[in-house]
Every structure is written in C-alpha cells, then in structure tokens.
C-alpha cells in the first residue's frame, strides 16, 4: 500500500535519472532553437508533453526517443539513455509520480479490492488504513501520511476535472476498517460523493464471482499524452506506460465495470451498509 504523497518512496538514481534525460533534452533542443511545440510537432507529440519530458515528470516511449535523436541529430543518445533508465528503474516513480499525474489527468478510473480509494477517504478511515499497514509507526508519522493523502483531495473538492470513476469491491464495504463508527462516516462520505456529476461509483458485488482484476489498479487519461496505469501491492507500486500493457489493463477494468452494479444500485448498497454500521 502506498503512503501519502509526502512519504512516497522515490529512490533517486544519482546523476543518471529522468531529470538528466530532461535537462539534456532541453539543452539540445535549445541548441537547435526549437520551441517545445516545434519539437513536439516533429516527433508527433504535443509541446506540453516535451515539457513534461524536460521536467523529468514523464518518460518517453522508445520510439519517441528515436524520433528525438533524429530531429536533434544526437546519434542515438536519447534512445541509449532511455533504455538504461528503463532497465534500472526500481521504485523511483513509486507513488510521487503517480500523484503528480493525478493532478493533470482528465480522467481517473480506479478499481479497489481492499480499501476505499484514497481520493475518497475520510481522515479517520485513512488513519486506520495506514495504522493497519504500519502498526509500529509513530503516530505523528501516520498523521503526516494522512495529511498528505487528504491534500490530494482537492481534485475531488475544487478542480473542475478530472472525471473520477471508481469500481469498489463489496469486500471494501464489509470490512470494518477502523470500526463501525469510522465505517459509518466513511460510507456516508462515499454516498455523498457518488451523487456528484463528475464522480461515478460502482460496487462489484460478491455475486459477480471472481474479479477480473486481482489488485488495485488506477488508469489515468490526459488531454495531450498517452494514458498510463498505476498498480499497487504490498509496500510497492508500479507506474506503467507501455501502450500494450495499459490497453490490457483497460480491457480488464472494462470487464470489472460491466460486472459491477449500476450506479443507483451501487449507491443504495453503500447507504444500506452505512446504516448497518450506524446501528
């Protein structure tokens, strides 16, 4: 389970990292007196996407790196750096990069088998989730993680986008994370959010059988860049941007969404379980 954005485990790779790739790209682009938009047009992507490469916030696909080498006459330099970084990447993009991508996404689709999605969690529920995962952590440290998670919720409360679509396993509703009072508050919050226009919430019921997706998945779409996926396991997470793999995860997500209860039925189930906890 990922920590909040402040505690995310981004491991630096020293001088040879995506920041290095970006700074070299900026240096060589400016040598050719090309704007980001001009280079983007030549390599078949947007100027803002080039800007994300230069800021070290996104990593290009190998074919894009090849086109950059051609346009900037760098004799395969960017392909070689790209290959080296892809081969050596561990947890450096763990959750910090995923949190950044959330902030610029136009759509976020999640499947959660264990917990309410982080963007929808109450403070008490988030504390219970972190405390369960890190029972020996100092209370102040857990509170800092909770603060970091709640800070990301401006995407729900303030931003006009992204569209948020959550498929939540019924197991999430039934597990008394933090106790009955915490669950009553959390599910009431979930029901309130599910009524908002740009938020879609569906429950995958026990009756649907074995889920297509076996773990946490987040799919993010953007105006001017290819979609990415983020998957998460115990103490680890992976940001995936290989088009074929993202497409497979999207298909699996679509099957899970199709097997889930309709929007109104999902809301009714959430409210019913909330009432049970409130008794």
């Amino acid at each position: 389970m990922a920590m909040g954005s402040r505690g995310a485990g981004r491991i630096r790779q020293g001088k040879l990292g995506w920041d290095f790739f970006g700074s070299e790209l900026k240096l060589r682009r400016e040598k050719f007196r090309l704007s980001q938009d001009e280079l983007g047009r030549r390599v078949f992507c947007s100027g803002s996407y080039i800007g994300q490469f230069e800021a070290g916030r996104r990593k290009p696909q190998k074919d894009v790196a090849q086109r950059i080498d051609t346009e900037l006459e760098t004799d395969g330099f960017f392909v070689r750096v790209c290959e080296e970084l892809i081969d050596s990447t561990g947890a450096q993009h763990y959750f910090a990069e995923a949190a950044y991508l959330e902030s610029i996404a136009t759509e976020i689709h999640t499947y959660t088998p264990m917990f309410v999605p982080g963007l929808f969690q109450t403070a008490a529920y988030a504390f219970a989730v972190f405390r369960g995962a890190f029972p020996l952590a100092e209370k102040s440290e857990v509170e800092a993680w909770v603060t970091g998670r709640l800070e990301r919720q401006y995407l729900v409360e303030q931003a006009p986008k992204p569209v948020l679509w959550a498929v939540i396993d019924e197991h999430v509703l039934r597990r008394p994370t933090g106790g009955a009072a915490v669950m009553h508050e959390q599910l009431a919050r979930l029901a309130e959010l599910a009524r908002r226009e740009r938020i879609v919430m569906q429950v995958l019921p026990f009756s649907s059988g074995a889920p297509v997706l076996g773990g946490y998945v987040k799919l993010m779409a953007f105006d001017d860049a290819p979609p990415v996926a983020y998957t998460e396991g115990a103490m680890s997470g992976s940001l995936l941007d290989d088009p074929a793999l993202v497409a497979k995860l999207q298909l699996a997500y679509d099957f899970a969404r199709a097997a889930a209860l309709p929007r109104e039925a999902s809301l009714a189930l959430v409210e019913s379980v909330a009432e049970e906890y409130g008794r």
Side-chain angles (χ1 to χ4, degrees):
M1 183 198 66
M3 300 178 186
S5 58
R6 289 181 176 178
R10 175 175 289 204
I11 301 173
R12 307 301 298 176
Q13 286 183 300
K15 293 182 179 179
L16 186 58
W18 291 108
D19 290 342
F20 170 79
F21 183 101
S23 64
E24 287 295 309
L25 175 58
K26 184 174 186 293
L27 178 69
R28 296 174 191 233
R29 173 181 61 78
E30 291 178 343
K31 180 180 178 180
F32 272 74
R33 298 182 179 180
L34 294 173
S35 68
Q36 292 177 344
D37 286 337
E38 288 170 334
L39 179 59
R41 283 193 294 270
R42 294 188 181 194
V43 301
F44 309 112
C45 68
S46 69
S48 63
Y49 207 30
I50 295 294
Q52 291 175 37
F53 296 157
E54 293 182 353
R57 291 169 177 162
R58 296 294 299 271
K59 54 183 183 292
Q61 293 294 316
K62 185 177 177 181
D63 61 336
V64 177
Q66 288 173 332
R67 290 194 290 270
I68 289 173
D69 276 325
T70 299
E71 293 300 325
L72 300 184
E73 300 177 7
T74 45
D75 193 28
F77 170 81
F78 287 107
V79 167
R80 291 193 297 273
V81 173
C82 192
E83 289 176 341
E84 175 66 21
L85 290 173
I86 290 171
D87 288 343
S88 62
T89 294
Q92 77 179 72
H93 295 291
Y94 176 21
F95 191 70
E97 187 174 358
Y100 166 74
L101 293 175
E102 275 186 341
S103 71
I104 61 173
T106 56
E107 296 180 20
I108 298 175
H109 299 245
T110 61
Y111 169 71
T112 51
M114 291 293 292
F115 302 111
V116 170
L119 291 176
F120 299 162
Q121 290 180 7
T122 64
Y125 184 91
F127 186 91
V129 170
F130 282 124
R131 174 54 78 202
F134 304 99
L136 302 181
E138 295 287 341
K139 182 180 179 181
S140 59
E141 190 173 17
V142 176
E143 289 174 341
W145 297 337
V146 171
T147 297
R149 175 158 294 179
L150 297 182
E151 286 175 351
R152 291 167 44 223
Q153 294 186 1
Y154 79 91
L155 293 172
V156 175
E157 299 297 343
Q158 300 175 22
K161 60 182 182 180
V163 171
L164 300 168
W165 195 310
V167 176
I168 301 171
D169 197 280
E170 185 176 350
H171 179 82
V172 174
L173 310 183
R174 304 292 183 183
R175 176 183 287 276
T177 303
V182 170
M183 286 300 298
H184 176 72
E185 178 191 38
Q186 176 61 77
L187 295 188
R189 167 67 170 166
L190 192 58
E192 184 269 320
L193 291 173
R195 292 186 176 90
R196 300 189 185 183
E197 291 183 356
R198 67 184 180 90
I199 297 176
V200 179
M201 186 270 297
Q202 290 181 270
V203 176
L204 186 66
F206 292 145
S207 60
S208 67
V212 178
L213 292 165
Y216 176 90
V217 173
K218 184 194 300 285
L219 296 156
M220 292 176 278
F222 309 90
D223 278 334
D224 56 3
V228 299
Y230 175 74
T231 62
E232 194 170 278
M235 313 293 178
S236 64
S238 298
L239 194 62
L240 310 169
D241 59 5
D242 177 76
L245 184 54
V246 173
K248 287 181 181 179
L249 286 170
Q250 180 66 61
L251 180 61
Y253 183 85
D254 290 342
F255 276 114
R257 184 163 51 186
L261 295 174
R263 198 173 181 182
E264 291 301 321
S266 295
L267 176 57
L269 178 57
V270 169
E271 291 178 325
S272 174
V273 178
E275 290 179 5
E276 293 175 15
Y277 282 118
R279 294 185 189 129

